Amino acid sequence: MRSPAAAAKSPLPWISPLQYRSPARGAPPSPPPPSSPPPPSPPPPRYLHHPELARLIASSPSPQRALDLFNAASSQRGFSHTPATFSALLVRLARARLPRAAAAVLRRAASEPCRFQEPMLLPLARLLPPDHALALLRLLPDLLGRSRVSHKALAVCLDRLVSSRGCAGVLEELLADLRDPRNKYLPKPNTCVYNILIKHYVKSGEMETAFKVLNEMRQYTCADVKPNLVTYSTLIGGLCRGGKMKEAFELFEDMIEKDRIVPDQLLYNVFIDGFCRLGQVEKVRAIFAFMRKNECEPNTFNYATLINGHCKNGDIEAARSVFDEMRSAGVEPDVVSYTALIGRLCRHGSVDEGINLVMEMKEKGCKADVVTYNLVIEGLCKDGRTVEAMDLLESVPLEGVQLNVVSYRIVMNCLCSRREMDKAVGLLGLMLGRGFIPHYVASNNLLIGLCDAGRVADATMALFGLADRGFMPEDSCWERLVETVCRERKQRRSAELLDVLIGVKEMNPTVA
């Protein structure tokens, strides 16, 4: 045990003289610090009413926050959820791709006394995965207080299934329910439901099955199930895309003679497109004559398809002739018609004529889109008119047309191939500033071209800008960069390049 003397001699904690100040003799003691007022009591929680709760759930930053709001409201005295609050939460969970959570909320909703309206739940079927969409369809009678779902709900769910990949099993399950006379939740299929099925089989290339569905429709005598123009247009379109024009015309005749259905311009356009695909553009004239004979004047869509067919065949004079005929007939060309002709003109060296058509579009209030401008930019680059192409990159966005990465890459590829390094460096700055990067090959060519021109500083700065977007130069380009920098004895810059290489590798280990 330590003695009291030893305890008295033990060292005291050291205090810095900068922190310690001895009080002056005779000075009164410092008053105690004033006591801080007690913190204010938190305000009572605000009562959430149904419209506000639904709005907060829909705009919640996370699905967990939406669930917290939903549960917190449930604990309010006298509060019970309505279809609007349930629907807001279900849509929020479905958009967050949490189908299991949505399914749990649906089961709870089905046990509540509130009754939903169908328009509240149909958007949910479009957001859920196929199996959960089918589960929702089966639960709808309980949620809506009906014995069966409506044809519209069935069509929405069926369309969701046929438009999803890898859902064949779920689709077959629904079709089995449809064909089962003992099912108690589905209505008998109508024309809309059959048309969705036909569209699905045609798109999948199962034409034989699609015609079986048509035959099944013909067996009904009620007005709810009867082939219509959509039915035949879908089947004829599948035959034309497969090059079976004879079979398509036979079905066309059946449609007119047996079902007394009058074709429209959209159906005629299916034949026009079919002949253009086969390169038999001359037969379209017979289609136009047949249309006029039956008091169905060709419209903008029909002319645009024919112009595009001539352009694909390389017959620019015929395309010009159809374009002039179109205007003579009083049919104003649309952006598709203009773009088809402009593209062919620009690809065949008549860029100025194409630009004149763009100016004509502006005068007539037909706004050119990014596809139109990309064709003009490509034509200018092929003619070596890179300054005009770059002017378009600067001016077109000011006109309200949003260019895409293709627009800039067309010009960058051209500048690199022509070794116009000054313009390429300027364009790179414009691209990076607007959030675009060149093609991988063009980026490497740009860096190598700058090295060849002895512009090491520009090459280094270009690499830094590209590396920030995850670009990693190929080995030969990297070797050329380091070799050029070392040749000029810029050791510091060589070390900076090495830092860039290591940094990009760490951030993008899979970048080649």
Side-chain angles (χ1 to χ4, degrees):
M1 183 175 178
R2 297 175 63 188
S3 65
K9 293 181 179 179
S10 61
L12 294 174
W14 184 81
I15 299 177
S16 168
L18 297 177
Q19 297 174 349
Y20 177 74
R21 294 288 185 271
S22 60
R25 290 185 178 182
S30 301
S35 59
S36 58
S41 58
R46 186 164 53 88
Y47 192 92
L48 286 176
H49 295 276
H50 296 97
E52 185 182 10
L53 176 62
R55 179 181 58 80
L56 290 173
I57 289 174
S59 61
S60 59
S62 69
Q64 184 59 53
R65 174 63 177 163
L67 279 169
D68 292 342
L69 287 168
F70 186 86
N71 292 327
S74 302
S75 63
Q76 298 179 129
R77 180 179 296 179
F79 185 93
S80 60
H81 284 288
T82 64
T85 56
F86 270 113
S87 178
L89 179 61
L90 288 166
V91 171
R92 185 66 185 87
L93 294 175
R95 284 180 175 162
R97 299 188 178 183
L98 297 171
R100 292 185 179 179
V105 175
L106 275 172
R107 288 193 294 270
R108 175 177 170 181
S111 64
E112 299 261 339
C114 61
R115 287 289 172 259
F116 287 80
Q117 297 296 320
E118 191 176 82
M120 292 181 174
L121 295 173
L122 292 188
L124 186 62
R126 298 185 177 97
L127 295 171
L128 290 172
D131 53 342
H132 287 270
L134 179 56
L136 171 63
L137 186 69
R138 289 171 172 168
L139 197 60
L140 274 182
D142 292 334
L143 294 168
L144 302 176
R146 301 177 183 171
S147 58
R148 294 179 185 271
V149 302
S150 68
H151 283 102
K152 183 176 181 179
L154 173 59
V156 168
C157 182
L158 183 61
D159 187 64
R160 176 72 181 95
L161 298 187
V162 300
S163 62
S164 303
R165 294 181 180 179
C167 67
V170 183
L171 177 60
E172 291 302 323
E173 195 175 341
L174 177 57
L175 295 180
D177 287 350
L178 267 176
R179 296 187 178 100
D180 187 356
R182 296 170 298 176
N183 93 77
K184 297 181 179 179
Y185 76 100
L186 290 177
K188 291 183 179 180
N190 60 2
T191 301
C192 179
V193 172
Y194 277 117
N195 283 345
I196 293 173
L197 285 175
I198 288 176
K199 180 182 177 181
H200 166 65
Y201 290 126
V202 169
K203 189 176 178 180
S204 303
E206 304 176 56
M207 293 300 299
E208 186 176 345
T209 308
F211 275 100
K212 286 181 180 178
V213 176
L214 174 64
N215 294 332
E216 186 177 333
M217 293 178 71
R218 285 172 170 168
Q219 292 174 5
Y220 285 88
T221 56
C222 59
D224 286 346
V225 183
K226 188 176 182 181
N228 59 13
L229 189 59
V230 175
T231 314
Y232 282 104
S233 296
T234 305
L235 289 165
I236 290 172
L239 292 172
C240 289
R241 283 190 293 273
K244 299 179 179 180
M245 302 303 294
K246 180 181 177 182
E247 291 87 341
F249 274 107
E250 290 173 354
L251 184 61
F252 180 76
E253 292 173 357
D254 286 347
M255 179 192 77
I256 296 174
E257 295 176 4
K258 294 181 179 179
D259 292 307
R260 303 295 180 183
I261 297 175
V262 178
D264 61 357
Q265 287 103 330
L266 186 61
L267 179 54
Y268 283 118
N269 204 71
V270 174
F271 286 106
I272 295 170
D273 182 66
F275 281 124
C276 289
R277 285 173 180 267
L278 295 174
Q280 301 173 2
V281 186
E282 67 282 354
K283 294 186 178 180
V284 176
R285 285 298 174 188
I287 301 292
F288 274 39
F290 187 83
M291 291 175 68
R292 293 189 175 103
K293 183 179 178 181
N294 289 276
E295 300 180 352
C296 182
E297 285 295 322
N299 62 6
T300 306
F301 199 35
N302 304 137
Y303 280 110
T305 306
L306 179 56
I307 290 170
N308 194 48
H310 282 304
C311 289
K312 286 183 177 179
N313 280 357
D315 194 344
I316 193 169
E317 290 303 324
R320 281 196 187 103
S321 176
V322 174
F323 193 81
D324 293 338
E325 176 190 334
M326 180 181 185
R327 290 191 285 196
S328 300
V331 180
E332 283 297 324
D334 63 354
V335 64
V336 178
S337 314
Y338 274 111
T339 300
L341 185 56
I342 289 169
R344 182 53 53 183
L345 291 169
C346 291
R347 289 192 178 108
H348 282 72
S350 302
V351 185
D352 290 327
E353 188 177 350
I355 293 174
N356 289 337
L357 285 177
V358 174
M359 300 302 295
E360 180 183 307
M361 291 176 71
K362 291 181 182 179
E363 293 172 1
K364 295 192 173 183
C366 181
K367 189 175 180 180
D369 58 15
V370 63
V371 178
T372 312
Y373 280 109
N374 282 352
L375 291 168
V376 175
I377 291 170
E378 183 181 7
L380 289 171
C381 288
K382 284 185 177 180
D383 277 4
R385 297 158 64 176
T386 54
V387 174
E388 295 173 68
M390 293 186 69
D391 287 343
L392 281 179
L393 294 180
E394 287 280 4
S395 62
V396 168
L398 301 178
E399 299 175 6
V401 179
Q402 294 297 322
L403 297 177
N404 56 22
V405 66
V406 177
S407 317
Y408 298 91
R409 286 179 171 179
I410 291 170
V411 184
M412 178 61 79
N413 293 342
C414 176
L415 294 175
C416 290
S417 64
R418 295 171 63 87
R419 296 293 180 178
E420 298 183 25
M421 292 297 109
D422 283 333
K423 298 174 186 175
V425 170
L427 179 58
L428 178 64
L430 181 65
M431 290 183 70
L432 296 179
R434 293 181 177 177
F436 300 116
I437 61 172
H439 281 113
Y440 181 72
V441 174
S443 298
N444 284 286
N445 289 340
L446 171 63
L447 296 174
I448 292 175
L450 291 172
C451 290
D452 290 343
R455 302 175 60 166
V456 184
D458 287 335
T460 307
M461 293 304 298
L463 176 61
F464 289 164
L466 290 168
D468 285 341
R469 307 301 196 278
F471 168 76
M472 181 67 161
E474 61 186 10
D475 293 343
S476 59
C477 177
W478 182 256
E479 292 172 1
R480 185 61 182 276
L481 283 165
V482 175
E483 177 189 353
T484 306
V485 172
C486 291
R487 190 188 310 129
E488 295 195 6
R489 298 185 178 183
K490 298 184 182 291
Q491 301 300 328
R492 179 179 177 182
R493 189 147 306 210
S494 300
E496 291 174 351
L497 289 176
L498 185 59
D499 289 340
V500 172
L501 173 64
I502 296 172
V504 176
K505 271 291 188 183
E506 290 175 350
M507 291 186 297
N508 303 280
T510 59
V511 177

